Structure formats: structure tokens, C-alpha cells
Amino acid sequence: MADPKMSGKTVIKGNPSQYVKLNVGGCLHYTTIGTLTKHDTMLRAMFSGRMEVLSDSDGWILIDRCGKHFGNVLNFLRDGSVFLPESSREIAELLAEAKYYCIAELADACNQALLKKEREAEPICKVPLITSQKEEELLISSTTKPVIKLLINRHNNKYSYTSTSDDNLLKNIELFDKLSLWYNNRVLFIKDVISTSEICCWIFYGHGKKVSEVCCTSIVYATDKKHTKVECPEARIYEETLNILLYESRQAPDQELMQATSRGPVSGMSSYTSDEEEERTGLERLRSNKSSNQG
């Protein structure tokens, strides 16, 4: 059965102030020939008499495109600028229409907006949050980067904190965040909040193997009670961070260099000791020397 409103081809050419009726994918628009021919686009070719256009019996010019963004197209032709949609998807839809109608300036504006949204959406760095031992092993073994893991778990503390422990715990977290922003392109940073082995500990991995750690907690005996002391040994953490950068290359770092820059033995493992532990070790050494001298 034939459509009573038969369509046919015609040529449109008239005064710039002459209005035309447009049916773009079912969306109706009413504008002037001057607007449609203002820029060197496909629409100028259609409405300056250079091309035939399709029209129905009611005089509507038919354009077989989605009409959702045609209003933005017309506004750009009128003013040379337009407020772009908020979502990336709609900007991409408008970009497709701008390309179809050969409106280069509008297409460029859409492309720039999409690039800006991509930059805004992409995080500066990603820090995986460990949820299982298997996940941690997979992350460390699959990356080519050195790895720094912050193990932090306030809830496993069965003893009370010293007065400054909460502040030092926050300082460790802030330092981790700072280092992850500085070195996110060179080091994989991960957080572990499920382990129960430590309250706060930094662990450093190179070539998939544990190289060193900095334990930031110790037990303090005050009268008959035990207290957990949390420290933030920034200098030691910076030192181990710089050492771990030596593992960026596929070859193992020079052992003499590692010995010169690490407190620990050349074979790899080094650990931070608290002030109490260092004092205790010093006292034991003094007693040992005194005993030897008396002997």
C-alpha cells in the first residue's frame, strides 16, 4: 500500500531569509536557508541548489539521520559555538553527526571534549587493595615493576596504643600515598588490610621476591601493661624505596651497591628495628664486653 504522502527529489535554492521545514529522523525543525548555508558544510551543499534533497508532499525536507542532536547542529551553525552534552556518550553521538554533515569545527570541539573527559576519568595512579593471599601473589609475580606493600590493620591490636601511635599510623598512610603519587609509573604500590601478622609494616619486593621490610610497631612495657608503639621511620622508608628502584632493570642490582645503601646483609633481607630494640641490643653488647673484660 503506497504512502499517501509521497516523497520526491527536489532542489532547494532561495533567499537566505527563506524558512524551510526539516524532518530529521522524525524530529521537526524550522530554520532559514541562511543558517543552513552559513558554513561550508554538507548542509550548504544541500540547500544552495548544488544537491537534490528529498521532500514529502507537505513540503518537509527529509534527512535520514537521528534527530536527537540536530538542534545542537543548528545552534552551532547559527552561533559558531554550542554547549556540548555532559556525558561522553552523547558527545560521541554529536561527533558522529558533525562528521556526517562535514562540520569540522564542531567535530574538533567534540574530540577535544572527549579527550578532556578521558584525562579527567583516568586516575593518576592505581593502588590495588589486597583481598586474598592468592591475589597478592599473582600481582607481585605478574608485574615487571618493583613492589611496595603497606600492611596496615588497626583491628588486630590486642594491646593498647601509646599516645602518639594513632598519629604515627596516619603518617605512615600519608607517606604511602605520597610515594605512590611520586613513583606510580615505576613501582607497583599495594595495600593489605586483611593480614593479621602486623599492625603497620612496609614490605619491598624486587623481581617478584621479598627484598626487605620496615616494621613500624613494637611492644612497650609500662608497669604491668603492654602497649603497642607505632612509629613512622620516614628516613628508613625513603631509603628502602630508593633501593627498590634498583630492581627496575631485569638484571639483579649490584651487590656492593646494595650493601652500601642498606643496613641489612647483602643477601637481601633488612628490617627496621625500633628504638627500644636498639637500646636493648646496645645494653646486651655492653654487658657482654664487661663480662669478657672481667674474665
Side-chain angles (χ1 to χ4, degrees), residues 14-280:
N15 191 288
S17 61
Q18 179 183 335
Y19 275 81
V20 290
K21 303 185 295 182
L22 304 177
N23 182 341
V24 185
C27 295
L28 307 180
H29 297 271
Y30 199 53
T31 188
T32 65
I33 290 178
T35 294
L36 296 169
T37 58
K38 192 171 184 179
H39 298 268
D40 187 14
T41 67
M42 180 179 171
L43 289 167
R44 174 185 283 182
M46 292 172 64
F47 292 93
S48 61
R50 285 187 283 161
M51 289 177 58
E52 290 184 329
V53 295
L54 201 63
S55 64
D56 65 16
S57 57
D58 289 334
W60 289 92
I61 308 300
L62 306 177
I63 300 178
D64 188 19
R65 294 292 294 179
C66 177
K68 179 180 179 180
H69 299 288
F70 194 74
N72 281 334
V73 170
L74 287 178
N75 285 334
F76 186 86
L77 294 176
R78 292 179 182 116
D79 304 325
S81 62
V82 69
F83 288 106
L84 298 178
E86 287 294 326
S87 73
S88 295
R89 179 177 178 176
E90 291 194 340
I91 294 174
E93 291 172 352
L94 179 56
L95 172 60
E97 299 307 303
K99 287 181 176 179
Y100 176 79
Y101 295 114
C102 301
I103 309 175
E105 295 88 348
L106 179 56
D108 288 343
C110 291
N111 278 321
Q112 290 298 320
L114 288 173
L115 287 173
K116 183 179 178 181
K117 283 190 172 291
E118 284 180 13
R119 288 193 294 268
E120 290 173 351
E122 184 150 354
I124 295 174
C125 67
K126 298 177 183 179
V127 178
L129 190 65
I130 298 301
T131 58
S132 70
Q133 183 68 31
K134 187 176 181 181
E135 180 187 18
E136 177 184 323
E137 291 172 357
L138 182 62
L139 277 170
I140 293 173
S141 62
S142 61
T143 184
T144 58
K145 298 178 179 180
V147 178
I148 296 178
K149 180 179 79 169
L150 176 62
L151 190 160
I152 185 161
N153 191 348
R154 174 68 173 86
H155 303 291
N156 73 352
N157 181 23
K158 60 184 179 180
Y159 305 124
S160 60
Y161 268 10
T162 61
S163 59
T164 59
S165 290
D166 279 322
D167 286 342
N168 285 332
L169 196 62
L170 289 174
K171 286 179 181 178
N172 278 283
I173 296 173
E174 289 172 355
L175 181 56
F176 180 83
D177 291 343
K178 184 191 295 182
L179 290 173
S180 65
L181 287 172
W182 286 352
Y183 296 110
N184 68 89
N185 291 324
R186 302 175 65 182
V187 178
L188 173 63
F189 289 84
I190 58 178
K191 271 186 182 179
D192 182 352
V193 295
I194 63 167
S195 177
T196 58
S197 59
E198 295 286 350
I199 296 170
C200 184
C201 185
W202 296 70
I203 305 176
F204 302 82
Y205 299 85
H207 298 164
K209 295 180 180 180
K210 184 176 177 180
V211 175
S212 61
E213 70 176 35
V214 178
C215 181
C216 302
T217 57
S218 59
I219 302 299
V220 179
Y221 293 87
T223 63
D224 59 339
K225 292 184 179 180
K226 296 178 181 179
H227 295 273
T228 300
K229 181 180 180 181
V230 178
E231 299 153 328
C232 184
E234 287 191 40
R236 184 65 175 148
I237 293 167
Y238 280 124
E239 179 184 343
E240 294 298 346
T241 299
L242 294 176
N243 282 341
I244 210 69
L245 293 177
L246 297 173
Y247 288 84
E248 285 186 288
S249 65
R250 294 191 177 184
Q251 295 181 347
D254 182 87
Q255 291 301 298
E256 291 185 5
L257 179 60
M258 288 297 293
Q259 188 175 25
T261 58
S262 176
R263 295 184 186 180
V266 178
S267 57
M269 295 302 296
S270 62
S271 178
Y272 169 76
T273 55
S274 68
D275 294 339
E276 287 81 4
E277 289 171 324
E278 290 181 350
E279 289 172 7
R280 195 180 302 120

